[in-house]
Amino acid sequence: MSAIEDLLTAARSGLDRAEPEQAQRLHRDGALIVDIRPHANRLEEGEIPGSVVVERIHLEWRLAPDSEWRLPEVKPDSTVIVVCNEGYSSSLAAADLRRLGLPGATDLEGGFRAWRSAGLPIREGGTPAVP
């Protein structure tokens, strides 16, 4: 195994990853879906309705429960589902959030593309990221 595969395996070992339909149910029940995909991907492929766009470079500052720059809706007991294109970088990001005190952080298995393939709702993309 390569070092990145080891890192990904370790990150996923602490996550209860959500499949698309499960993520949709969790979102309906109040979970926050956070889209970390680049603007170009979101513009071309669309976005999950109700998701919040936070670029990867700002993620920890916007979601760490004790960060002075966190999103106001994020609490220590929040369920947060991180979404990337295919479910790789989101696993690493969700593991980082758990280490920062957000035990309800996980990711979308298969990423946005699995959501789309499951036929779940999509909105037009290009929403500006939270600054």
Side-chain angles (χ1 to χ4, degrees):
M1 251 186 182
S2 70
I4 187 61
E5 289 170 326
D6 289 342
L7 185 63
L8 186 60
T9 298
R12 287 179 172 169
S13 72
L15 301 176
D16 183 17
R17 302 181 77 211
E19 293 186 9
E21 292 82 3
Q22 179 187 13
Q24 185 182 42
R25 284 191 304 276
L26 289 168
H27 184 57
R28 270 193 238 127
D29 292 341
L32 181 66
I33 295 179
V34 178
D35 193 334
I36 63 170
R37 295 176 301 139
H39 182 262
N41 292 118
R42 293 183 285 102
L43 188 60
E44 182 179 325
E45 298 179 56
E47 299 169 356
I48 296 172
S51 63
V52 175
V53 177
V54 178
E55 294 199 5
R56 180 65 185 96
I57 194 169
H58 297 134
L59 186 70
E60 287 82 358
W61 286 266
R62 297 293 181 245
L63 276 84
D66 63 351
S67 171
E68 66 181 279
W69 300 284
R70 75 169 165 73
L71 298 173
E73 60 267 35
V74 176
K75 309 289 185 244
D77 63 346
S78 293
T79 300
V80 174
I81 303 166
V82 183
V83 177
C84 68
N85 288 327
E86 295 180 341
Y88 294 96
S89 61
S90 59
S91 293
L92 299 174
D96 286 348
L97 293 174
R98 291 176 72 91
R99 282 191 291 275
L100 289 172
L102 195 61
T106 191
D107 75 323
L108 178 60
E109 192 168 341
F112 176 82
R113 293 176 182 157
W115 178 281
R116 183 183 61 209
S117 291
L120 297 174
I122 296 172
R123 69 176 185 222
E124 187 174 320
T127 302
V130 171

